[in-house]
Amino acid sequence: VIRGSRGTLDKYIGDAIMAFWGAPVEDADHARHGVLTAMQMQHRAVTLNQEFRAKGWPEFHIGIGVNSGLMRVGDMGSKLRKAYTVMGDPVNLGSRLEGITKQYGVGILVGEETRKMVKDMVFREVDRVRVKGKDEAVAIYEPVGADKEVDKSVHDELKLWNQCLRYYRARDWDQAEVALLNLQRMYPGRQLYQAYVERIENYRKTPPDPGWDGVTRFETK
């Protein structure tokens, strides 16, 4: 899927795969290609799991982080060993996003810069976070689908969800919880909503600091 969408396959890292767009051949639409590839990879994973089940094999699930920004690209290393790769803060953030997908029960998390560059796609804002090693908060998103293909029911869901986020960030736990219960009733099985229900329960027991800005901090990779 990566190679078929103008992506550069960088490396395999244990059970992970890393890729980038825009080099060695310039790609003005690199952010969009990265997001579409992530969505296609998730669709392909569904097909592969069907094949795995038919063979009696265990299923697998993948999380994908997509981020954009200014990076160094080229042959990195030494005379002894080098590799063509990318380095920089945007790369690290992309890796952190992949690592926290499971915290929200979503398959893909997209950084704020990528979201700004992809104009023809609908995204769900998931949270504002500070990841390990970074002090700056960033908004993170889940791609929903192409703007022309997303129907009214999805837009209605996103409207209610965005209202829920406003209540949550204002510490209006009661209204946020009501919105979440309505979302769970209308769209059962979405782990993101359950994650926020549990988060609100914890904040009721242990309220955030007075200076809390609605941002979630992650201390692990």
Side-chain angles (χ1 to χ4, degrees), residues 69-74 76 85-91:
L70 187 62
M71 312 168 193
R72 290 188 178 274
V73 58
M76 309 289 183
T85 187
V86 289
M87 296 178 67
D89 278 348
V91 181

Side-chain angles (χ1 to χ4, degrees), residues 52-99:
F52 279 24
R53 283 194 298 271
K55 296 178 179 180
W57 296 354
E59 295 184 24
F60 71 97
H61 302 278
I62 58 175
I64 305 172
V66 183
N67 194 44
S68 303
L70 187 62
M71 312 168 193
R72 290 188 178 274
V73 58
D75 287 327
M76 309 289 183
S78 66
K79 292 180 179 180
L80 179 65
R81 188 171 186 271
K82 65 178 64 177
Y84 185 78
T85 187
V86 289
M87 296 178 67
D89 278 348
V91 181
N92 297 334
L93 179 56
S95 174
R96 298 290 187 272
L97 295 182
E98 180 275 323

Side-chain angles (χ1 to χ4, degrees), residues 128-164:
R128 290 203 294 260
V129 302
R130 289 187 182 92
V131 297
K132 182 176 175 62
K134 301 290 290 183
D135 292 326
E136 182 182 356
V138 295
I140 58 176
Y141 300 85
E142 176 191 19
V144 175
D147 196 18
K148 296 179 180 179
E149 298 174 0
V150 174
D151 60 32
K152 183 179 181 299
S153 65
V154 176
H155 285 288
D156 290 341
E157 178 186 359
L158 293 178
K159 184 177 180 180
L160 181 56
W161 167 244
N162 289 334
Q163 181 62 63
C164 175

Side-chain angles (χ1 to χ4, degrees), residues 14 35 41 48 64 66 86 101 109 122 124 127 130 136 138 152 154 165 193 202 214 216 218:
V35 174
M41 288 173 69
L48 282 173
I64 305 172
V66 183
V86 289
T101 52
L109 282 176
V122 176
R124 181 198 319 274
D127 203 354
R130 289 187 182 92
E136 182 182 356
V138 295
K152 183 179 181 299
V154 176
L165 283 180
Y193 301 151
N202 290 331
T216 304
F218 288 94

